[in-house]
Amino acid sequence: MADTTAAQGGERKVSKKALAKSFRNWYYGNLTCFSQEHMQTFGYLVSMLPIVEDLYDNKEDQTKALQTYSAFFNTEPQIGTMIVGVTVGLEEARANGQPVDDDTINGIRAGLMGPLAGIGDSLIVGTLIPILLGIAMGLSQGGSVLGPIFYIVVWNLLAYFGMRLAYYRGYKLGGDAVEALVGPNAQALREAIVMVGTIVIGAVDATWVSISTALTLPGGGTLQGTLDGIYPKLLPLIFTIFCWWLMAKKKVSPIITMLILLVIAFLGALCGFFGAATIATAA
């Protein structure tokens, strides 16, 4: 524990080696022993293990400190990395005798789980991943392997360095991160991210969802041509909203939703509304 104790005043400081190991444990193992009962609890516990071992010499103190992190935990893994960094800073403060107890740490963890999950789901799942997948699918046209290679490389680089930045920023901020992440200014940030995510999903829908009708109008022309003149991509929009309504409002599973779409496509083809292979998605 040569790097743990600072030279001035005997203040305990987490070593760079322990910080690096803690981050790696979270990056590779945030879903360790994942279950509906515990979610990310054990992944969090494993990530705090190097920190506790670095700050406390006594096994009894280590055991007591680790019990703090056995409480339920679940958030978006990438952006939520900041919570791990924040609690590393709080644990360091507790080891130096500051008034930080289990309730303080778990209260901050619980307070940050939801807001960061909302930010992460909108920013990562709803915005970044669809953008990367859209680029990858474009590169994959014609059977090229460049698309999957692009996605695997770029996603892993962005995830690793982004999570590393969030971890060390959280460690540096400590308890001050709470105000920055759940305060009034953060609400505007979350709303902006949700808006951007919604725009991205709409762009992906318009680009990659292809639905058209083969129905011919009595006076000549096609229904598809008329719809395109009024509202281009109207049918993809209707089907996207329909799928959202089924899954979000009626709690229909994705598998059942896909089966419903297959039935609609089959019946539509039988009655002549759809032509051959007119319902297709790239994802």
Side-chain angles (χ1 to χ4, degrees):
M1 298 190 50
D3 296 333
T4 305
T5 305
Q8 297 181 354
E11 180 184 0
R12 289 190 175 273
K13 190 78 173 175
V14 179
S15 67
K16 293 181 178 179
K17 181 179 179 180
L19 286 171
K21 186 175 181 180
S22 171
F23 167 71
R24 287 196 304 270
N25 286 356
W26 175 256
Y27 178 75
Y28 291 110
N30 55 74
L31 298 179
T32 299
C33 300
F34 185 91
S35 69
Q36 294 301 315
E37 181 181 0
H38 300 287
M39 297 293 186
Q40 298 168 347
T41 300
F42 297 116
Y44 198 111
L45 188 66
V46 169
S47 69
M48 291 302 297
L49 181 60
I51 304 301
V52 170
E53 290 178 340
D54 201 46
L55 288 173
Y56 302 99
D57 301 315
N58 190 294
K59 288 292 183 182
E60 183 178 341
D61 292 337
Q62 292 177 1
T63 301
K64 183 178 179 181
L66 284 174
Q67 287 175 349
T68 305
Y69 306 102
S70 61
F72 176 85
F73 183 78
N74 186 52
T75 190
E76 195 282 321
Q78 282 74 46
I79 300 297
T81 308
M82 182 172 285
I83 304 177
V84 185
V86 168
T87 49
V88 169
L90 293 173
E91 191 61 58
E92 184 180 82
R94 176 161 69 171
N96 285 293
Q98 295 187 28
V100 178
D101 56 15
D102 291 358
D103 292 338
T104 301
I105 294 175
N106 283 324
I108 289 177
R109 288 203 309 162
L112 291 177
M113 282 193 304
L116 286 190
I119 293 175
D121 288 343
S122 301
L123 185 62
I124 305 298
V125 181
T127 304
L128 178 61
I129 290 179
I131 289 174
L132 294 180
L133 286 174
I135 296 173
M137 287 186 291
L139 294 174
S140 299
Q141 290 183 351
S144 173
V145 298
L146 187 59
I149 292 175
F150 166 83
Y151 181 79
I152 292 170
V153 172
V154 173
W155 163 248
N156 280 282
L157 287 176
L158 290 176
Y160 179 83
F161 288 105
M163 291 172 69
R164 190 176 187 277
L165 175 64
Y167 178 91
Y168 283 95
R169 179 60 63 181
Y171 170 61
K172 183 177 180 180
L173 289 174
D176 293 336
V178 178
E179 178 63 25
L181 295 172
V182 302
N185 293 332
Q187 180 63 29
L189 174 63
R190 291 194 295 273
E191 291 176 355
I193 291 174
V194 170
M195 181 64 69
V196 171
T198 304
I199 293 172
V200 169
I201 293 298
V204 171
D205 175 31
T207 303
W208 294 106
V209 178
S210 178
I211 303 175
S212 60
T213 175
L215 193 64
T216 302
L217 297 177
T222 63
L223 177 60
Q224 185 62 49
T226 303
L227 292 176
D228 289 341
I230 300 173
Y231 196 129
K233 301 288 185 179
L234 178 60
L235 287 180
L237 175 63
I238 291 173
F239 272 81
T240 300
I241 294 176
F242 176 63
C243 292
W244 168 81
W245 177 78
L246 285 175
M247 292 186 287
K249 298 299 183 180
K250 296 301 181 180
K251 307 302 179 183
V252 178
S253 71
I255 294 177
I256 299 299
T257 300
M258 287 188 286
L259 291 176
I260 292 174
L261 292 180
L262 285 174
V263 172
I264 293 174
F266 179 74
L267 295 177
L270 283 180
C271 67
F273 186 85
F274 296 127
T278 55
I279 296 185
T281 61

